[in-house]
Amino acid sequence: MLISHGNILPDYVIEAEAAPLPLSAVNSENWLELCCDYRRRFFLEEQFRRFYADYFLRALSDDGRLYAECRVRKNGMADSFVDNVILFDGKYIPAEIKLNVSNEPNITAQLERYCDFDTLFTNRGAKSSFPREKLHSRKIIVIDTENIFIFNCNDKNMTLVFGLDSLNRIADIFSAKSKLSHILKNESH
């Protein structure tokens, strides 16, 4: 160890071992176990999405499907793209992934682009869209490395659903689903 040459180091440095997360080993069976503690160390949003949020959203989804980079068409605005869409409690809901919601300069304006849309397209082709009657068009799931929120376009409020520290086993996701379902049903439309 070069740093120890000519330096006096504390025991915790001398005894420390580098143990990077083997991202290539993350899969649908072990993502929660492997990434539970590591999720705060992702420094790229794409990594957090791929190795944690995508698996989590599939587990939340009614059918296990995840639609990524879905185009949002809203009259009078250029098309935008929401990170994901899942089927939850029989309706499709957009989901936006961030490393840290608190560090986003204007998260409300970004999320409003995904509300009251004219059309929300699937990622299955240029003309394939979600059925309007099966959409949450005024609510968005927001996930960062700490928490899950619901953004309500009516009052522009972000409601904390739960902290990710409380998710340690797949069974905990069922509790999270229940709480998310309760919030979606009880918030004003």
Side-chain angles (χ1 to χ4, degrees):
M1 199 158 72
L2 288 175
I3 197 169
S4 64
H5 184 67
N7 294 308
I8 298 172
L9 300 174
D11 288 341
Y12 70 88
V13 173
I14 294 169
E15 295 169 6
E17 292 182 33
L21 177 68
L23 293 176
S24 62
V26 176
N27 61 44
S28 61
E29 302 298 317
N30 65 14
W31 67 273
L32 189 55
E33 177 186 334
L34 290 179
C35 294
C36 187
D37 294 326
Y38 193 84
R39 71 176 193 279
R40 289 183 182 91
R41 291 185 249 165
F42 287 118
F43 59 90
L44 296 175
E45 188 176 298
E46 181 59 33
Q47 288 176 319
F48 176 58
R49 270 198 229 177
R50 181 170 176 206
F51 297 107
Y52 188 90
D54 286 359
Y55 288 113
F56 178 71
L57 286 168
R58 280 187 182 96
L60 276 183
S61 172
D62 292 354
D63 59 6
R65 293 178 70 185
L66 179 68
Y67 299 88
E69 296 300 324
C70 295
R71 187 164 41 107
V72 178
R73 178 159 294 154
K74 196 170 179 176
N75 192 20
M77 294 179 65
D79 286 358
S80 55
F81 291 83
V82 67
D83 289 337
N84 299 106
V85 175
I86 63 168
L87 183 63
F88 187 83
D89 278 351
K91 288 185 145 186
Y92 293 98
I93 186 166
E96 189 66 14
I97 312 303
K98 298 293 177 194
L99 286 177
N100 187 330
V101 169
S102 301
N103 289 341
E104 291 295 320
N106 198 350
I107 188 74
T108 301
Q110 180 183 1
L111 296 173
E112 284 181 305
R113 290 191 327 225
Y114 312 135
C115 298
D116 295 325
F117 43 76
D118 298 318
T119 309
L120 179 60
F121 294 92
T122 70
N123 55 2
R124 306 275 190 251
K127 296 188 180 204
S128 177
S129 62
F130 294 99
R132 188 134 184 89
E133 67 279 359
K134 289 186 75 174
L135 285 168
H136 284 285
S137 64
R138 304 203 45 81
K139 310 255 174 71
I140 301 164
I141 296 172
V142 181
I143 302 173
D144 73 6
T145 57
E146 297 290 328
N147 300 299
I148 306 297
F149 305 91
I150 287 292
F151 178 77
N152 186 330
C153 296
N154 293 328
D155 57 12
K156 297 172 183 36
N157 190 27
M158 202 161 341
T159 303
L160 175 66
V161 178
F162 54 89
L164 294 180
D165 284 340
S166 64
L167 298 176
N168 299 309
R169 323 172 305 222
I170 294 298
D172 296 333
I173 293 174
F174 295 110
S175 297
K177 283 178 91 164
S178 177
K179 190 168 184 185
L180 182 60
S181 180
H182 179 76
I183 289 171
L184 282 171
K185 288 176 184 169
N186 290 320
E187 279 193 352
S188 60
H189 298 281

